[in-house]
Amino acid sequence: MTAQEIKVTTEKAGMAIEPAIRAPWMEGMQRLLRQKTAIFGLIIVCILLLTALLAPLLAPYDPVAPDLPSRLQAPSATHFLGTDELGRDILSRIIYGSRISIQVGLLAVGISLIFGTFLGAISGYFGGKLDMAIMRVIDIVMAFPYILLAIAITAMLGPGLNNAMIAIGVVGIPIYARVVRGAVLSVKEMEYIEAAKVSGCGSLRIIMKHVLPNCLAPLIVQATLGIGTAILDAAGLSFLGLGAQPPTPEWGIMLNKGKDVMNIAPWVIMFPGIAILFTVLGFNLLGDGLRDALDPRLRNNN
């Protein structure tokens, strides 16, 4: 193929790229809406988001103000989910805890996504010794148990919600780096990438404009699944005393404090656990649905 033919091919590709990308995404969304489990997950996620946004309007009581005369009351018309060991309304604390969970999930996944995408893109695109060096570091990081590495990083930085988010984000970087690298290795062999190189596009422009846009599907799926995992990990770190600190209305803290009175007031630990369960379930179902909808290899099965 001559340089002139390649230039013509690039121009045609540029004119056709938007419809070509839009059509699969529209088909993917239609397949997603046909999956009942994915819709159920989407409903859970939407409820969680609305709860977090409208927390001041939905919460009937102050989530941090103690009310000792009302301590360890069972669920009733006054306190729908009961009260904890300090008399605080559990429903109000769960509602405000949804804000923290969403914050942790989005920021932790954002850290993993940004740095993981950067490392995976340059590793997959340039290859060679750079690829080998980055992947060996990734392999070393992934050799450590995920939660233990998060605990170690949080312990070094010090207890706190922000440090917990950083730790969860850091330990998630290798996952996104591998996902992006695999996608880039496949995309960079396409003809339109070669056409872009011949037409004079620099490496950065090719990566940002041609390579990464075609790697979005696996990234979106991994990020959706990753939010649920990050929320669960943050609750685990808070349960161990390394994440959010009292009196913050965080679900992991509620489980930690509730374990001491679970024999006489099981609702103190039961309802925060249910909140974590449905939140993680919602993101996992939505992520699985997105994977099935956006993966071209599964189109014939939907």
Side-chain angles (χ1 to χ4, degrees):
M1 182 181 289
T2 65
Q4 183 63 27
E5 291 173 337
I6 291 176
K7 183 177 181 181
V8 172
T9 301
T10 305
E11 293 174 351
K12 291 181 178 179
M15 292 185 292
I17 189 169
E18 185 176 351
I21 291 177
R22 183 185 300 152
W25 280 95
M26 292 296 293
E27 294 174 5
M29 290 303 102
Q30 292 173 357
R31 287 194 297 272
L32 176 67
L33 295 176
R34 290 197 295 265
Q35 300 181 53
K36 294 181 179 180
T37 55
I39 294 300
F40 181 63
L42 180 61
I43 291 172
I44 293 176
V45 172
C46 289
I47 291 174
L48 178 68
L49 292 174
L50 287 175
T51 301
L53 289 173
L54 302 176
L57 300 177
L58 297 177
Y61 297 93
D62 188 324
V64 297
D67 183 13
L68 296 180
S70 302
R71 64 189 303 271
L72 297 181
Q73 288 187 3
S76 63
T78 305
H79 299 279
F80 293 114
L81 301 185
T83 61
D84 63 9
E85 72 284 353
L86 295 179
R88 297 170 297 193
D89 183 67
I90 292 177
L91 175 59
S92 299
R93 288 180 64 78
I94 289 177
I95 289 174
Y96 272 89
S98 65
R99 283 186 159 186
I100 297 175
S101 295
I102 291 295
Q103 176 187 354
V104 169
L106 293 179
L107 293 180
V109 168
I111 293 172
S112 300
L113 187 63
I114 293 172
F115 290 97
T117 299
F118 172 75
L119 292 175
I122 63 174
S123 177
Y125 184 80
F126 293 105
K129 294 182 179 180
L130 179 61
D131 178 31
M132 182 177 295
I134 293 176
M135 285 300 103
R136 294 301 74 78
V137 173
I138 294 297
D139 290 338
I140 293 172
V141 174
M142 294 190 72
F144 292 92
Y146 183 91
I147 189 64
L148 290 182
L149 185 58
I151 291 173
I153 295 174
T154 307
M156 287 189 298
L157 297 176
L161 183 61
N162 292 335
N163 291 339
M165 286 189 291
I166 294 173
I168 295 170
V170 169
V171 298
I173 290 175
I175 299 174
Y176 292 87
R178 282 192 169 276
V179 169
V180 174
R181 177 180 179 271
V184 170
L185 287 175
S186 175
V187 170
K188 77 173 187 177
E189 302 299 331
M190 299 295 182
E191 290 184 358
Y192 65 88
I193 299 297
E194 295 298 326
K197 291 179 180 178
V198 173
S199 65
C201 292
S203 297
L204 180 60
R205 179 179 176 83
I206 292 174
I207 292 173
M208 298 300 296
K209 187 175 181 179
H210 299 289
V211 176
L212 288 182
N214 290 284
C215 302
L216 285 179
L219 271 179
I220 291 175
V221 173
Q222 183 58 50
T224 305
L225 295 170
I227 291 175
T229 302
I231 291 173
L232 185 60
D233 292 338
L237 291 175
S238 295
F239 181 83
L240 296 173
L242 296 173
Q245 300 298 303
T248 306
E250 199 274 339
W251 296 340
I253 292 178
M254 296 175 69
L255 292 177
N256 178 282
K257 298 300 181 183
K259 74 182 189 303
D260 298 328
V261 295
M262 61 181 298
N263 292 330
I264 60 175
W267 58 86
V268 176
I269 197 171
M270 180 175 65
F271 292 119
I274 292 174
I276 296 173
L277 169 66
F278 275 97
T279 298
V280 177
L281 177 64
F283 280 105
N284 285 348
L285 291 177
L286 180 58
D288 287 339
L290 286 171
R291 181 199 61 198
D292 295 341
L294 298 178
D295 191 338
R297 295 171 297 181
L298 302 175
R299 288 179 185 175
N300 294 332
N301 298 330
N302 294 303

